[in-house]
Amino acid sequence: MSLPSFPIKKVLVLLILLAVPGTLYYLLKEKGQNRYRPLPIYGTKQVAKTFHIKRRKQIPDTIYHVVRDFKFLNQNSDSISFPADSNQITVVNFFYTRCPVFCLGMNKEMARVAKIYNNNRLMRFISISVDPENDSPSVLAEYSKPFVAENKKWDFLTGDKELIYSIAKNDFLVDAIQDTSNKQNIIHSPMLILIDPQKRIRGYYDSSRGQDQVNLLIDEIKVLITEELRSIKDR
């Protein structure tokens, strides 16, 4: 008795139907389970002498650029430390109260972000004055009233001018320069800077380029929160 013959097309369709479920399961389970593209890490990088194991391979660790610890006074004359909490994500910007150009708009955009994450325990917001000689805690208290009314985890900081400029340039990698042609003006960055709990820079968002950049920050904070929650879970 001869076996029935099957057209090649039917055989191929059958094989595909049998193979697809297994392939999809593998991709979802091994390759695609809760996967996302991590945010970049800015600044210099060095290869460490230590290693970690990934998929049975020995991978050299990387030493990333990090923001140093610092401590300044806020608008309430309280001493505020960075980092305040090793699990917190921080958004930082540089401004000054007499700024004639974009500072007000920048802080309005910062307020928009802060309001969205006001109830998230992982988030905090810091605005550092590049004009500490004029921006005393009392001046910052008055300036910050409309911003902190709805955003309790937002500190406006002031401190030693030389240290602030050094931190801006060497740690946050942005400009903070006294304008020599106009003493009333200070050249500084319009960036909102996203810092992860390991004190690494994970994003720059130009507040002077409209809402799209800040909308991107809002979305990428979600990515970083997800990353941190997974990290906490794995500890």
Side-chain angles (χ1 to χ4, degrees):
M1 180 177 178
S2 60
L3 295 173
S5 60
F6 292 95
I8 293 177
K9 287 185 178 180
K10 287 186 177 180
V11 173
L12 291 175
V13 169
L14 181 62
L15 289 174
I16 291 170
L17 290 174
L18 291 172
V20 166
T23 303
L24 288 176
Y25 175 81
Y26 172 77
L27 291 173
L28 290 172
K29 186 69 177 177
E30 302 297 331
K31 299 293 186 181
Q33 184 180 29
N34 296 324
R35 291 184 65 94
Y36 61 94
R37 175 175 289 182
L39 302 182
I41 300 174
Y42 291 83
T44 57
K45 303 173 180 66
Q46 297 179 9
V47 177
K49 295 181 180 179
T50 56
F51 296 85
H52 64 278
I53 304 298
K54 186 175 183 179
R55 296 179 183 173
R56 300 181 182 178
K57 291 184 179 180
Q58 198 176 50
I59 309 296
D61 292 326
T62 304
I63 301 172
Y64 294 100
H65 172 84
V66 297
V67 177
R68 80 183 92 167
D69 295 359
F70 59 83
K71 185 181 293 185
F72 294 129
L73 293 179
N74 74 354
Q75 67 272 19
N76 301 316
S77 296
D78 296 327
S79 182
I80 301 298
S81 297
F82 174 87
D85 184 322
S86 59
N87 291 326
Q88 282 190 312
I89 296 164
T90 311
V91 181
V92 179
N93 71 338
F94 291 85
F95 82 107
Y96 63 110
T97 61
R98 300 186 300 164
C99 175
V101 188
F102 57 79
C103 289
L104 183 59
M106 174 171 57
N107 281 328
K108 284 182 177 179
E109 286 298 293
M110 184 82 142
R112 185 162 67 89
V113 182
K115 186 175 181 179
I116 291 171
Y117 292 100
N118 194 32
N119 295 319
N120 193 306
R121 62 180 180 81
L122 293 178
M123 294 300 303
R124 69 182 300 209
F125 298 85
I126 291 176
S127 294
I128 304 174
S129 172
V130 293
D131 186 22
E133 294 169 350
N134 292 287
D135 288 342
S136 63
S138 60
V139 171
L140 292 180
E142 187 64 29
Y143 176 88
S144 66
K145 279 181 181 179
F147 300 114
V148 300
E150 294 182 326
N151 305 295
K152 304 302 182 183
K153 296 189 296 181
W154 187 355
D155 289 296
F156 289 74
L157 303 184
T158 186
D160 179 76
K161 182 176 180 178
E162 186 175 336
L163 178 57
I164 289 172
Y165 281 34
S166 174
I167 285 174
K169 179 181 179 180
N170 299 314
D171 294 80
F172 291 100
L173 310 180
V174 295
D175 291 329
I177 305 167
Q178 182 71 56
D179 188 347
T180 55
S181 63
N182 182 359
K183 291 185 178 180
Q184 300 296 317
N185 188 37
I186 300 172
I187 301 167
H188 66 98
S189 172
M191 296 293 181
L192 305 185
I193 309 166
L194 182 61
I195 308 295
D196 69 16
Q198 290 75 46
K199 304 184 295 181
R200 303 173 302 185
I201 300 170
R202 304 303 296 273
Y204 291 95
Y205 310 88
D206 190 344
S207 64
S208 67
R209 290 175 55 189
Q211 291 190 346
D212 286 349
Q213 280 277 297
V214 180
N215 289 340
L216 178 61
L217 167 60
I218 292 168
D219 288 339
E220 294 195 339
I221 286 173
K222 297 173 186 176
V223 175
L224 200 52
I225 289 173
T226 301
E227 183 178 305
E228 179 57 21
L229 291 175
R230 285 180 176 172
S231 175
I232 293 172
K233 184 179 178 181
D234 293 338
R235 288 170 193 167

